[in-house]
Amino acid sequence: MRRPQRLSFIYLSLFVALLLTVMPMPQLVKLARPDWALLVLMYWTMALPQRVGVLTAFFTGFVVDVLVGTVLGVNALAFSVVIFVVAQHHLKMRNFSVIQQALLLGMLLALYQLLLFWLSHFLTGVYFRPQYLWPVLTGMLVWPWLFWLLRRYRRQLKIQ
């Protein structure tokens, strides 16, 4: 497979994650929806930090802002901060087991939710509710399967 086709799989996986982000769901389930785009960005940043980094995270966060209808730049900034942390520590994170990675990514997802709440509070005056933390738990539970799925395709397609 040619190199551009291999790299297009990264952007295809981000596109699917964006679709999962805006897929209609019942309100009760919608509160616990994992942050798909951020999880996929975290995987690709850990696996290929030279290909996917802060600029890709900012652009993806901006697209999430447009798709979800939040204040422009809120998700872009939060995605960029979290992906910067992942990019700085990708070598350490790779050596962890998948369960340890899930726990660490849970903390990073909590940081993302905190940044979202903080920015939204100052811009629009929303108040914190404990339901904001459900995506952290579901993201931690989804991580092992997402990791194994993306790793399988990365190795199968020989993406480097």
Side-chain angles (χ1 to χ4, degrees), residues 8-125:
S8 65
F9 181 76
I10 295 172
Y11 299 110
L12 176 67
S13 65
L14 283 171
F15 179 73
V16 170
L18 289 172
L19 288 178
L20 288 171
T21 300
V22 296
M23 183 173 57
M25 300 178 109
Q27 187 64 27
L28 189 61
V29 178
K30 193 176 189 180
L31 287 174
R33 180 192 322 230
D35 299 309
W36 292 107
L38 185 58
L39 286 169
V40 171
L41 277 170
M42 286 178 175
Y43 173 79
W44 288 117
T45 303
M46 277 196 318
L48 302 169
Q50 69 277 10
R51 301 260 185 242
V52 177
V54 176
L55 187 61
T56 307
F58 184 83
F59 178 73
T60 306
F62 191 77
V63 171
V64 169
D65 283 331
V66 171
L67 291 175
V68 175
T70 57
V71 177
L72 288 180
V74 171
N75 280 299
L77 177 64
F79 274 28
S80 299
V81 169
V82 171
I83 294 303
F84 176 77
V85 172
V86 172
Q88 290 297 314
H89 301 287
H90 73 278
L91 292 175
K92 294 175 193 170
M93 293 171 70
R94 281 186 199 172
N95 290 324
F96 293 155
S97 71
V98 177
I99 303 301
Q100 289 172 329
Q101 284 179 4
L103 293 172
L104 181 61
L105 292 182
M107 288 190 281
L108 291 171
L109 289 169
L111 171 67
Y112 166 71
Q113 291 297 331
L114 177 69
L115 286 171
L116 271 186
F117 164 71
W118 183 66
L119 291 169
S120 298
H121 177 71
F122 286 118
L123 294 173
T124 61

Side-chain angles (χ1 to χ4, degrees), residues 126-144:
V126 298
Y127 291 100
F128 183 77
R129 292 184 301 173
Q131 292 86 0
Y132 291 150
L133 297 178
W134 279 112
V136 174
L137 180 64
T138 57
M140 288 172 54
L141 294 174
V142 165
W143 175 252

Side-chain angles (χ1 to χ4, degrees), residues 3 6 57 65 113 116 151 155 159-160:
R3 185 180 174 127
R6 290 180 189 160
D65 283 331
Q113 291 297 331
L116 271 186
R151 185 174 70 172
R155 287 182 176 176
I159 299 173
Q160 296 177 357

